[in-house]
Amino acid sequence: MKHILTAAALALGATGAAQAADDVTLQLKWVTQAQFAGYYVALDKGFYEEEDLNVTILPGGPDIAPTQVIAGGGADVTVEWMPAALAAREKGLPLVNIAQPFKSSGMMLTCWKDAGIESPEDLKNRTLGVWFFGNEFPFMSWMSQLGIGTDGKGENSVEVLKQGFNVDPLLQRQADCISTMTYNEYWQVIDAGVSPDELVTFKYEDQGVATLEDGLYVLEENLENPEFTDKMERFVRASMKGWKYAEENPDEAAEIVLDNDASGAQTETHQKRMMGEIAKLTAGSNGALDPADYERTVETLMGGGSDPVITKQPEGAWTHAITDAALK
């Protein structure tokens, strides 16, 4: 019996599988949906396994702050938007961007056309729905750049309605405009029976105030650990393989997301449509952060007038070390 065990152990050892795969826990910014398809695809297609990784994906939700999860040691790496990450960094949580799978921002303001809104100037004296929990930062910077106050309706100011994670304020006309992502809430408005030609949209990307979304962040201290950086190199390489697969096979990627949706809340129509929109945002990124996009993000956040998101130029907030090694 002993002989057989030894042979089996040797066979395992030869494949490298006997050294247990390295565990990596990823905290998502939001619930399981096509916004995170690349990670689910990498898991489903065995890309993580090929890199000798055992990856656990933790969905987010309205009560989950990814920065708090990673601060508390609940995840190794998190998907976060750069405004929230840089704000957290300035407040003492040293998050570092190690990869940037999303090249473009999906954020926009969606307005009723019949409210007489045609250009950003027309937003004055309106009620605008805005998400908070760190997602308000790009909006505040945009208003500041337009010279529009955010302390209530007025000739040169707007009322900011704290928007929940739905589109009701627009549908019920409590607000003239609401925050939507190109890949999610905009389509919820359409699905509610609104025709696209009844709406006017302002993409942050077009307004010059786009900030980086859905980057991968880790705690700075962990980057001093060679075992950790080695794991992250493999994680980023497999994740980007997942993202490019998802871009090229959007319907299959959406199906994989649905298979991983434990909540059962997502629908095939919505996820396939979302994946099509997400692919537009990941297109053009190989995973490496473009320093020009970072600079624009910082500029936007520091341009918040009397109430900037960050008060000084961040230092050490991103690194190419992981993507340089992962993508070579």
Side-chain angles (χ1 to χ4, degrees):
M1 187 66 197
K2 186 175 172 210
H3 173 73
I4 295 168
L5 273 175
T6 314
L10 279 171
L12 268 174
T15 66
Q19 294 100 22
D22 296 311
D23 290 332
V24 172
T25 302
L26 169 68
Q27 174 64 56
L28 301 180
K29 181 170 171 62
W30 194 239
V31 297
T32 301
Q33 56 183 15
Q35 178 183 357
F36 311 108
Y39 309 110
Y40 287 112
V41 167
L43 188 63
D44 188 85
K45 290 282 172 192
F47 299 159
Y48 290 136
E49 212 179 329
E50 285 167 15
E51 293 284 1
D52 212 15
L53 294 174
N54 175 34
V55 174
T56 303
I57 301 176
L58 304 176
D63 306 319
I64 297 169
T67 49
Q68 286 169 11
V69 174
I70 199 166
D76 299 298
V77 55
T78 183
V79 176
E80 188 50 284
W81 288 4
M82 189 170 273
L86 291 179
R89 187 178 176 83
E90 188 166 289
K91 289 191 186 81
L93 180 65
L95 292 175
V96 179
N97 177 302
I98 58 164
Q100 185 58 45
F102 278 47
K103 173 71 179 163
S104 313
S105 159
M107 203 176 207
M108 61 181 182
L109 206 60
T110 294
C111 309
W112 285 116
K113 192 180 276 184
D114 65 13
I117 296 170
E118 289 177 16
S119 76
E121 283 299 306
D122 302 326
L123 296 172
K124 293 171 183 172
N125 207 16
R126 309 275 184 180
T127 300
L128 311 179
V130 177
W131 293 313
F132 277 73
F133 301 112
N135 302 335
E136 73 275 23
F137 300 144
F139 171 82
M140 297 303 186
S141 296
W142 182 28
M143 290 300 110
S144 170
Q145 288 183 24
L146 291 170
I148 296 176
T150 53
D151 47 1
K153 281 187 178 181
E155 270 181 49
N156 218 11
S157 61
V158 295
E159 180 189 1
V160 174
L161 176 76
K162 271 196 180 179
Q163 183 181 329
F165 292 97
N166 61 43
V167 298
D168 295 351
L170 189 75
L171 299 176
Q172 295 165 6
R173 293 196 178 252
Q174 299 161 332
D176 298 303
C177 308
I178 58 167
S179 303
T180 62
M181 301 308 289
T182 55
Y183 49 83
N184 195 2
E185 292 77 11
Y186 173 79
W187 297 101
Q188 292 174 19
V189 176
I190 301 300
D191 286 345
V194 178
S195 156
D197 54 22
E198 293 178 82
L199 301 169
V200 175
T201 59
F202 301 102
K203 289 188 180 179
Y204 282 49
E205 198 72 53
D206 299 339
Q207 300 303 319
V209 290
T211 50
L212 285 167
E213 295 161 10
D214 293 69
L216 291 172
Y217 293 84
V218 300
L219 291 177
E220 191 168 324
E221 64 203 46
N222 291 337
L223 290 171
E224 289 158 28
N225 175 345
E227 282 177 18
F228 181 84
T229 55
D230 175 64
K231 271 201 308 196
M232 286 302 107
E233 285 162 19
R234 289 179 279 146
F235 174 76
V236 167
R237 184 161 51 232
S239 297
M240 287 315 298
K241 197 173 170 183
W243 272 118
K244 294 308 146 186
Y245 187 95
E247 274 177 36
E248 287 159 23
N249 306 278
D251 283 0
E252 185 189 345
E255 297 281 0
I256 289 171
V257 169
L258 288 163
D259 290 344
N260 282 278
D261 175 30
S263 75
Q266 306 296 359
T267 66
E268 185 175 348
T269 310
H270 189 50
Q271 290 309 303
K272 287 188 171 173
R273 197 166 50 186
M274 186 184 294
M275 187 59 234
E277 293 295 331
I278 289 288
K280 297 174 189 172
L281 305 182
T282 56
S285 174
N286 64 353
L289 174 82
D290 179 340
D293 295 341
Y294 166 81
E295 296 295 346
R296 183 195 66 212
T297 296
V298 169
E299 209 174 296
T300 299
L301 297 179
M302 289 183 74
S306 59
D307 194 18
V309 176
I310 50 175
T311 58
K312 53 186 186 284
Q313 280 282 344
E315 283 179 27
W318 61 275
T319 178
H320 272 164
I322 302 295
T323 46
D324 284 350
L327 306 170
K328 64 172 185 271

